């Protein structure tokens, strides 16, 4: 079957595009006709991602919580393509931290990347943004449901959901659509590292408990999120803005 070219000629920026959901989305965007700039903090992983995608892609190393890195990202985009049609503000981090032991450094780190970094990722893109473009923010089911040990992470993602609403209003005069995608448990390397315990039996019990909470009874895969993001990036979603699209196997719906 011929790959649909819903993003033909579009210029896209994806933060956190060197692995997991970001990488899957970069691959999906290129397959659908876009040219993609991806960012990541580790040059070796970024190089591997660029090689894997293979065409119509440029990797730019940077940390979204570092505003100088964001300036350098957008200066490169300006020099290379001089515009942005789609922004997937996806970079983020997650740590399990029980309330009793949350440290200031952990709080600051998560808010610096997930909230401050995302805000300035969007703000600094706007001078290059074409009117009528699409911005997609990565939120999380943790913004809607309570999970043990993720109160800080959940708070950062609740802020992201709020941003999508507020920026929909802020950018309506430019006809720029802003939406959030909220993944549930997705089978990425980061997910496996976070949920890995000291022994195989504990890990298996943890996964069994998790699967029992999911109506679909399985983890999602990054490609399933990527297809949802591509929909929000494309003109197929031309009358959709300000929403939170859950890609969560039903986790936050029941």
């Amino acid at each position: 079957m011929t790959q649909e070219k819903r993003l033909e000629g579009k210029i896209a920026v994806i933060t956190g595009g060197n692995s997991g959901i970001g990488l899957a989305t970069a691959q999906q965007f290129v397959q659908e006709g876009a040219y993609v700039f991806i960012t990541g903090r580790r040059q070796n992983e970024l190089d591997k991602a660029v090689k894997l995608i293979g065409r119509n892609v440029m990797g730019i190393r940077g940390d979204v919580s570092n505003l100088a890195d964001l300036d350098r990202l957008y200066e490169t985009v300006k020099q290379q393509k001089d515009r942005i049609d789609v922004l997937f503000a996806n970079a983020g981090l997650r740590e399990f931290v029980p309330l009793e032991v949350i440290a200031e450094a952990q709080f600051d780190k998560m808010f610096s990347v997930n909230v401050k970094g995302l805000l300035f990722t969007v703000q600094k893109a706007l001078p290059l943004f074409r009117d009528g473009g699409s911005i997609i923010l990565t939120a999380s089911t943790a913004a809607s449901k309570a999970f043990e040990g993720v109160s800080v992470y959940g708070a950062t993602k609740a802020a992201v959901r709020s941003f999508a609403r507020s920026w929909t209003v802020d950018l309506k005069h430019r006809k720029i659509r802003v939406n959030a995608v909220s993944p549930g448990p997705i089978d990425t390397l980061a997910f496996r590292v976070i949920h890995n315990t000291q022994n195989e039996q504990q890990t298996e019990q943890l996964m069994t408990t998790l699967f029992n909470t999911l109506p679909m009874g399985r983890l999602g895969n990054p490609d399933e999120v990527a297809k949802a993001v591509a929909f929000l990036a494309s003109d197929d979603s031309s009358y959709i803005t300000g929403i939170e699209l859950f890609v969560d196997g039903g986790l936050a719906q029941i």
Side-chain angles (χ1 to χ4, degrees), residues 30 51 82 116-118 123 169 178 192 225:
V30 169
K51 185 176 181 180
D82 200 36
K116 185 190 84 171
L118 182 138
Q123 184 201 75
V169 177
V178 186
R192 290 183 174 274
V225 184

Side-chain angles (χ1 to χ4, degrees), residues 18 41-49 61:
N18 61 326
R41 290 179 295 169
R42 290 174 288 276
Q43 188 66 51
N44 61 331
E45 291 186 18
L46 199 57
D47 292 342
K48 289 177 183 177
R61 190 181 65 80

Side-chain angles (χ1 to χ4, degrees), residues 103-122:
E104 182 179 11
Q106 292 166 320
F107 178 94
D108 288 346
K109 182 180 179 183
M110 274 190 274
F111 268 86
S112 182
V113 173
N114 296 358
V115 181
K116 185 190 84 171
L118 182 138
L119 186 154
F120 287 106
T121 293
V122 172

Side-chain angles (χ1 to χ4, degrees), residues 62-79:
D63 181 341
V64 296
S65 66
N66 184 322
L67 302 195
D69 283 358
L70 289 174
D71 289 336
R72 185 165 48 82
L73 162 66
Y74 291 124
E75 184 58 35
T76 303
V77 174
K78 182 178 181 179
Q79 291 173 357

Side-chain angles (χ1 to χ4, degrees), residues 115-147:
V115 181
K116 185 190 84 171
L118 182 138
L119 186 154
F120 287 106
T121 293
V122 172
Q123 184 201 75
K124 288 177 177 292
L126 293 178
L128 289 172
F129 232 92
R130 271 193 166 182
D131 290 359
S134 176
I135 297 172
I136 305 102
L137 315 176
T138 297
S140 171
T141 53
S144 301
K145 289 181 72 76
F147 301 99

Side-chain angles (χ1 to χ4, degrees), residues 132-190:
S134 176
I135 297 172
I136 305 102
L137 315 176
T138 297
S140 171
T141 53
S144 301
K145 289 181 72 76
F147 301 99
E148 187 176 355
V150 293
S151 61
V152 176
Y153 174 77
T156 67
K157 293 303 184 177
V160 172
R161 176 64 184 104
S162 180
F163 282 158
R165 291 190 177 100
S166 298
W167 296 343
T168 292
V169 177
D170 287 344
L171 297 173
K172 65 180 182 180
H173 65 290
R174 295 187 57 185
K175 296 181 172 57
I176 295 174
R177 297 181 297 109
V178 186
N179 294 292
V181 61
S182 284
I186 305 299
D187 191 6
T188 63
L189 177 60

